[in-house]
């Protein structure tokens, strides 16, 4: 019988990133980052209070991942939860960084005893999730991510996948509402692990589950 599959994001799900990115922006670029905003682009500002244009933001992110990944620390409970889940399920870490950062990401996760397949991606995560489902044919799938846009993408491409919205940075979690296309929002790994195990036992997400989610909103 096929094993269940957990597909999880990395930054702000397994590893804290935003707080360290904010520190680095101030130290290296004299920029501020508002951790209490739900808009990434509006969060980065110059000392004069001006927002940065989008074309300046992505090179900053690339620079952080190229030189500063050692700053990132583990989200509490993440390593323990993955160890327990990985005893009977497959795990893929689907992370939106370029392929050039794959080796660094694998090494980074290994420092926290997280040794699972890392799949780099650009853009929406629905298509790579669909491809993983078709390749691995798991008994059930749970997808975990901090960004609502990816839950919408997975809902469109792989509606049978359970979707859990999680934000590991408490200050960001305070201001970001639950993703409308996720089945649940849980920001604590001990509770999330129980939810994931229950969904594995339940099998693929059903149309009835989608209806219940819509009624609860």
């Amino acid at each position: 019988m096929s094993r269940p599959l957990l597909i999880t994001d990395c930054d702000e799900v397994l590893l804290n990133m935003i707080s360290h990115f904010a520190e680095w922006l101030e130290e290296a670029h004299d920029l501020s980052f508002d951790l209490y905003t739900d808009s990434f682009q509006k969060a980065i500002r110059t000392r004069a209070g001006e927002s940065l244009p989008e074309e300046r933001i992505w090179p900053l992110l690339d620079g952080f991942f190229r030189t500063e990944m050692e700053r990132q620390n583990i989200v509490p409970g993440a390593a323990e939860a993955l160890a327990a889940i990985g005893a009977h399920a497959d795990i893929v870490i689907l992370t939106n960084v370029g392929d050039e950062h794959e080796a660094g990401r694998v090494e980074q996760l290994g420092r926290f005893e997280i040794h699972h397949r890392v799949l780099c991606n650009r853009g929406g995560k629905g298509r790579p999730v669909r491809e993983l489902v078709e390749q691995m044919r798991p008994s059930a799938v749970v997808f975990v991510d901090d960004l609502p846009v990816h839950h919408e993408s997975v809902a469109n491409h792989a509606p049978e996948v359970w979707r859990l919205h999680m934000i590991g940075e408490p200050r960001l979690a305070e201001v970001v509402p639950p993703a409308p296309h996720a089945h649940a929002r849980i920001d604590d790994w001990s509770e999330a692990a129980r939810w994931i195990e229950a969904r594995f036992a339940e099998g693929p997400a059903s149309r009835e589950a989608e209806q219940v989610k819509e009624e609860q909103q």
Side-chain angles (χ1 to χ4, degrees), residues 23-175:
E23 293 169 357
W24 177 71
L25 284 177
E26 183 175 3
E27 294 169 7
H29 297 279
D30 199 30
L31 297 169
S32 66
F33 189 98
D34 183 359
L35 285 162
Y36 290 96
T37 181
D38 61 353
S39 171
F40 192 85
Q41 184 169 350
K42 293 179 181 178
I44 304 176
R45 293 184 177 274
T46 66
R47 289 302 178 189
E50 300 173 344
S51 297
L52 290 190
E54 187 172 349
E55 60 268 20
R56 285 193 60 191
I57 292 175
W58 303 118
L60 288 170
L61 277 168
D62 183 72
F64 177 85
F65 288 123
R66 188 170 59 253
T67 66
E68 307 299 320
M69 293 175 83
E70 71 276 3
R71 290 177 180 250
Q72 294 182 254
N73 61 301
I74 192 78
V75 170
E80 295 83 353
L82 261 60
I85 293 168
H88 64 90
D90 293 318
I91 298 174
V92 174
I93 298 167
L94 179 59
T95 177
N96 265 24
V97 296
D99 291 336
E100 66 273 18
H101 300 305
E102 180 181 354
R105 178 117 287 178
V106 170
E107 179 183 358
Q108 176 190 47
L109 289 165
R111 295 202 302 269
F112 301 104
E113 298 302 320
I114 296 176
H115 304 284
H116 300 287
R117 178 184 175 187
V118 171
L119 182 62
C120 295
N121 180 65
R122 291 292 195 190
K125 293 186 177 181
R127 292 187 185 277
V129 166
R130 176 80 266 158
E131 292 173 0
L132 285 169
V133 171
E134 292 176 353
Q135 292 168 6
M136 302 177 72
R137 299 190 178 279
S139 57
V141 189
V142 174
F143 170 79
V144 186
D145 204 284
D146 64 313
L147 297 181
V149 64
H150 293 313
H151 289 282
E152 182 176 5
S153 179
V154 172
N156 289 334
H157 288 88
E160 74 276 25
V161 170
W162 294 100
R163 301 176 298 278
L164 175 61
H165 187 201
M166 175 185 286
I167 300 178
E169 169 53 57
R171 288 167 290 185
L172 196 59
E174 286 184 22
V175 297

Side-chain angles (χ1 to χ4, degrees), residues 172-191:
L172 196 59
E174 286 184 22
V175 297
V176 177
H181 291 87
H183 292 100
R185 165 72 176 271
I186 304 172
D187 297 324
D188 173 77
W189 262 108
S190 60
E191 182 183 351

Side-chain angles (χ1 to χ4, degrees), residues 196-216:
I196 291 167
E197 297 286 9
R199 302 292 79 75
F200 283 164
E202 195 169 341
S206 63
R207 184 167 298 176
E208 289 75 14
E210 295 290 330
Q211 293 172 346
V212 169
K213 179 174 68 70
E214 292 172 0
E215 292 170 0
Q216 292 173 342

